[in-house]
Amino acid sequence: MATSRARPVGRRLLRFAESRKNLAGCAGGLAGLALTFTGAAGSYWPLVVAGLYGAGALIAPPERVAAPHFPDAAEQLDVLREDFVRLRQYLASIQLPPAASGRLTELDGLLDALVAHGEWHTDPDSFHTLARAVREDVPEAVETFVRARWWTRFTPGNEPPERQLEHQLTLIHEELTTLAAALQDAETQRQESLTHYLKDRRRN
């Protein structure tokens, strides 16, 4: 316990030793020692050294506080791809009805294609939609189905929970299909713009 308490104290002392105020104070203190060696400080040299150290520490510029680091688009995409791998591992451990399993297979293929897409920095809103599907919509739909399925043994005759799951997966698939279509349209427009540019350049 004593060692763990000593470490933060040691780190604080090290940060102070490397700080601008301490370095400027040390420079002032060295100037005071120089005056002492030349005899200019006289018998009051300890006060001179301490005073110059304090003056140097006071006039030193404040420490620069590092700006917070926020993950860029590439880092966010890498994290999302890792989350998608974990989602797949989770889904592989759940036994689903054939219809829901088929719908989930289609959704998995679409998600795989979207996650592989690397131009999300130009469309943060669409990236948010994709991330929400991976981290919230799909796992929540499956987890809710698992919990509801457990209760069917006590409440026979109610609507089978797999129907709700199929409906939810269909809605998620439709939303992501719209997203994929928008991406395709953007790529088509980019391709057409390049064609027009090459034609115009040739005319000129």
Side-chain angles (χ1 to χ4, degrees), residues 110-126:
L110 182 55
L111 282 171
D112 186 46
L114 290 170
V115 170
H117 182 64
E119 300 296 328
W120 292 106
H121 63 280
T122 61
D123 193 350
D125 291 337
S126 296

Side-chain angles (χ1 to χ4, degrees), residues 35-103:
L35 293 176
T36 299
F37 292 145
T38 60
S43 60
Y44 297 100
W45 69 268
L47 295 178
V48 172
V49 173
L52 289 177
Y53 175 89
L58 287 175
I59 65 175
E63 297 293 327
R64 293 181 180 177
V65 179
H69 171 73
F70 299 103
D72 57 22
E75 293 173 325
Q76 294 181 33
L77 182 57
D78 289 339
V79 174
L80 181 60
R81 286 169 176 165
E82 295 174 359
D83 292 342
F84 182 53
V85 171
R86 285 194 290 270
L87 175 62
R88 278 179 157 176
Q89 293 172 347
Y90 164 71
L91 296 176
S93 65
I94 304 297
Q95 186 175 2
L96 299 176
S101 180
R103 173 56 68 183

Side-chain angles (χ1 to χ4, degrees), residues 163-184:
R163 292 183 183 175
Q164 288 290 339
L165 176 61
E166 293 170 26
H167 184 54
Q168 292 165 2
L169 295 178
T170 299
L171 292 174
I172 298 171
H173 189 275
E174 290 175 351
E175 182 179 35
L176 295 179
T177 299
T178 301
L179 178 60
L183 293 174
Q184 183 182 13

